[in-house]
Each structure stands twice: as C-alpha cells, then as structure tokens.
Amino acid sequence: MDTNKITPGQTLTSTQKVGLDLVAILGGGRDVVLAIDLTESVGLNDEGRIRLRQIITDSLKPGDTVYVIPFAQDIVLNEVKSDANPLGAPIYFSSQNQENIDKILGKIPSPDLRYYGTDIQQAELTIYQGLAQINQNRLQANQNIKPQSVVWISDAPLFTKPGITSDTWIETPAGSPFRLADSPESQQRQAWINSLPINRRSLSIKTQNNQEYKLTVVDIAPTVQEFCTPAPGNQETCLVTPYLVKKLWLPGLFSILIFIALILAGLKVYRLRKKWELIVDFEVTAKPEDQKCTLPNNKRIAIGEYDSTCVDSIDCPGEEVRAYLERKGEKLYLVPTNLAAIYYNEREITSRTLINKSKFRINCPYRKRDYEIIIKLKK
C-alpha cells in the first residue's frame, strides 16, 4: 500500500464525527494496544497479569485487532515497522476461544533487566501516531475505520506537558529529544494528544516492593485526519466527506427506505385499528334520527334482525337478517344471507360484493314496498 506518514490534520465538524462513528459501527471491531513497560521498576506482577487477563478474556470481542507493544527507552518490537504496519504485526481476535486468548497472553513480556530508563513520551508519540496511521490507511483504502484503545501498564506519568524534566520523570534518557519542550518530537507528540478524541481511566497497582504502577485505559473515538486543499477552478479537495459519502450512501439509502417502510406500516396499522363510522339515513321509513354505527376491522354489522355475532345492526323490514356489512382491512363488503332480497346499486345481490363508494344505497323490498337505506361511510 502506498502511504505517507500521517500528521495531525484539521478540526472535524460535528457532522463528520457522527459519520465516522456510523462507519465504525457498520464495520465493527476495535484496535486495542497493550502497551507494557519492560523496566524493572514496573515488574509486572501477578495482580497486573490478572487484570490484563481480565481485559483480554472479558473485554476483547471478535473482530478486534490486538497489538502488544513492549517499551522502555524505545518501542521493543520483533516485527519490522512500516507506514502500512506502524505498530508491527497485529493479532486478529476472531473468537472468544482459549487459543486466541493464549496467543495474546503469550506475547505479553516479562520485565527484563536489560531494559531501563522509560522514555514515556517517545512511547506515547509512537503509539498515538501509529494508531492514527492505521485508521488513515483504512481511509485511503476505503475501508471501515475503527475505534481504538491503548492499555498502558507503566509507572511513568502519561499526558505530561512537552519537555519532560527529571523532576517530572527521572527515567527519561538524558539525550532524549523529549526533554526539550520545543523539539519537533515534543511538539509532534503534543499535537497528537490535542488532535485525537481521547478519554482515559486509571487504576493503581502495587508491586512486590510496595511501589506503584498504573494500568491506564485510553479510549480513542473512531477518527481520521482531515486535510482540505485548494484546487484549480475555485474548488477544494478534502478527504473525510468524500470518504463518508462512499461508505454511507448505501446504508443511508437502506435507512431511508426502512424509515419510509416503517412510516407506511405505522399508517397501515393506524388505519386498520381505526374504527369506521357509518351514518344510516332511513329515508323511506322516516325515522326521527339517523342511526350511527362503528365498525372495527374484521367485524360486521347485520342488516335486518339483531345478530349476536355482529357489533351492531341496521333496521330493515322482515324477520330475518338480509345481509351483513363486513369489514376486511381497508375494504367493505355486502354479504347477503339470501333469506330475503336485498339490492345495491339497483341490482339484487346474491353473493359477496365489494362496496367501493363512501355513500351508497341499499334497498330492502318488503310486501310490495321498497325500503331504501342511505349509508355514509367515514373511515
């Protein structure tokens, strides 16, 4: 992969941050760095190993990428670093099985008397810049970026100001450029600490010599560095927004379609649950008042005599139920019983008939007279 070493970029907008969070959620997985101080003053003891095992067995999830980074005066890696792999070869945590857990635990080093003088600011710059490089490589390859975390195990102070004196941390090597506040290395480290969205938590652990070191978890929200550059034609070329468009247009389209489908489904449910109102006008029989009926879904109203299986009944001459007004979803049917004649649209109905008007007439002939019923339907 053709990559350039990344530097801190421009401030991201709130919309870009939300977009990067969504990309990370869609991709899944995290980058987790176990940064372990090798010097004797730390002496990773049983309690420290228990807590590391806790993190590995209980916190790591399938899809996580794990880097074990020992450090002292410098990062101590057996692998060759490059812009493509700035923190060396990772361990892919594919599943919560013992083999995966043992693979990570097996890479955790023991304290080594050959190592002394922890250059903590050098370790911070290397790891934070390395993690930024990994996500930037993903952006360039149009891959999903990930949230990132560093688990620091060291007695050295983290997040100190540029230029670390012996009063702050005595172990920093005398020739380290990080002892100078205005050195390029010190300024670069501080720029990454200011640039990355960092959240940290710490826990103190005592050594066998009754000294203390800290287990500090630094969480970094999913992010990349934005670079916007003027381009010919009064234009500007940027990195983050085009990346987000490529990654999110299809999930965004699906989300919109799902949202529309949910709205339509909600409206459908509302219409089905809403009771229809029927206003009945007995023109021929000259009733003093119109009759009002309500008709829920999958229920029916009898026309003629009372029927206990119906929610209501509409008066009609004779001693039988002539028909039913039956609701099925968004449709209304006239269902004759064929016990006596009934007319709809001036046509005798002998089978189940769809009513497709909001105002309709039903005729019930009885003893050579024609009784007309006008019904208004309000959905």
Side-chain angles (χ1 to χ4, degrees):
M1 182 186 298
D2 183 19
T3 58
N4 295 313
K5 198 166 186 178
I6 191 64
T7 59
Q10 299 164 217
T11 302
L12 295 171
T13 66
S14 57
T15 302
Q16 287 175 323
K17 291 176 183 177
V18 171
L20 293 173
D21 286 338
L22 290 174
V23 170
I25 291 170
L26 292 171
R30 302 166 296 175
D31 294 321
V32 180
V33 173
L34 304 179
I36 300 171
D37 193 332
L38 286 178
T39 59
E40 187 181 6
S41 60
V42 172
L44 187 61
N45 59 1
D46 291 342
E47 182 183 347
R49 289 185 176 275
I50 287 170
R51 294 191 184 278
L52 265 180
R53 180 181 281 272
Q54 265 186 300
I55 291 170
I56 294 167
T57 57
D58 298 340
S59 175
L60 294 183
K61 301 171 184 175
D64 287 349
T65 304
V66 183
Y67 299 84
V68 179
I69 310 292
F71 64 92
Q73 290 191 19
D74 202 350
I75 299 294
V76 182
L77 282 179
N78 295 325
E79 300 93 355
V80 177
K81 295 189 292 182
S82 65
D83 286 352
N85 292 296
L87 299 180
I91 300 170
Y92 296 99
F93 196 75
S94 57
S95 62
Q96 275 279 7
N97 59 37
Q98 196 59 44
E99 182 182 353
N100 271 317
I101 293 169
D102 290 342
K103 189 185 297 183
I104 297 170
L105 289 172
K107 289 197 70 171
I108 294 173
S110 299
D112 194 326
L113 296 178
R114 294 176 300 166
Y115 296 107
Y116 60 91
T118 300
D119 194 343
I120 188 62
Q121 291 195 349
Q122 170 68 57
E124 286 179 305
L125 172 60
T126 303
I127 290 174
Y128 292 138
Q129 187 174 45
L131 286 172
Q133 184 75 56
I134 290 168
N135 262 344
Q136 207 74 16
N137 292 348
R138 292 180 178 127
L139 177 144
Q140 292 176 7
N142 201 33
Q143 298 170 350
N144 291 336
I145 66 167
K146 296 183 179 184
Q148 299 171 316
S149 297
V150 186
V151 180
W152 291 96
I153 295 181
S154 179
D155 57 345
L158 300 170
F159 298 101
T160 54
K161 293 180 180 178
I164 188 166
T165 66
S166 294
D167 291 338
T168 303
W169 179 240
I170 197 170
E171 288 190 27
T172 303
S176 171
F178 293 94
R179 283 190 174 272
L180 303 175
D182 57 354
S183 70
E185 292 85 354
S186 288
Q187 293 302 308
Q188 203 173 19
R189 166 190 166 271
Q190 191 61 42
W192 279 116
I193 288 175
N194 293 340
S195 173
L196 295 174
I198 285 172
N199 178 48
R200 60 172 172 160
R201 294 160 291 144
S202 293
L203 173 71
S204 294
I205 300 174
K206 285 194 173 183
T207 68
Q208 295 170 348
N209 300 326
N210 210 30
Q211 295 178 322
E212 281 193 356
Y213 65 90
K214 287 188 176 181
L215 188 155
T216 302
V217 177
V218 175
D219 292 320
I220 305 171
T223 190
V224 289
Q225 302 307 305
E226 172 68 294
F227 297 91
C228 287
T229 307
N234 198 30
Q235 295 180 340
E236 187 179 47
T237 176
C238 300
L239 294 180
V240 176
T241 300
Y243 168 76
L244 292 175
V245 171
K246 289 177 186 175
K247 299 302 296 180
L248 296 177
W249 77 267
L250 189 57
L253 178 61
F254 282 141
S255 298
I256 291 171
L257 293 176
I258 290 171
F259 180 69
I260 293 172
L262 288 174
I263 290 177
L264 293 176
L267 291 173
K268 180 73 172 178
V269 170
Y270 169 76
R271 288 197 298 264
L272 291 178
R273 292 176 64 89
K274 184 180 180 182
K275 294 179 179 179
W276 289 353
E277 184 179 59
L278 281 74
I279 300 174
V280 184
D281 184 4
F282 301 95
E283 285 192 344
V284 176
T285 54
K287 290 271 186 176
E289 292 182 358
D290 291 339
Q291 180 184 352
K292 290 185 179 180
C293 309
T294 56
L295 183 57
N297 187 27
N298 292 322
K299 299 295 182 180
R300 59 186 187 174
I301 295 173
I303 298 176
E305 286 296 301
Y306 170 77
D307 188 327
S308 61
T309 65
C310 301
V311 294
D312 208 337
S313 61
I314 297 172
D315 290 343
C316 185
E319 298 179 354
E320 61 278 301
V321 175
R322 295 190 181 228
Y324 299 101
L325 284 173
E326 185 177 72
R327 178 183 170 187
K328 289 293 181 182
E330 292 290 299
K331 295 181 178 180
L332 182 66
Y333 295 93
L334 181 62
V335 184
T337 62
N338 295 320
L339 298 176
I342 190 165
Y343 287 79
Y344 165 65
N345 282 345
E346 300 180 353
R347 180 170 62 90
E348 185 176 0
I349 302 301
T350 58
S351 62
R352 183 187 181 93
T353 301
L354 175 66
I355 294 176
N356 51 20
K357 296 181 180 179
S358 59
K359 183 177 180 181
F360 55 94
R361 298 170 183 266
I362 293 175
N363 297 82
C364 304
Y366 181 71
R367 293 180 181 176
K368 298 182 180 181
R369 292 186 62 187
D370 189 18
Y371 292 84
E372 187 176 58
I373 303 171
I374 299 175
I375 300 177
K376 296 178 183 178
L377 174 63
K378 291 185 178 180
K379 296 185 179 181

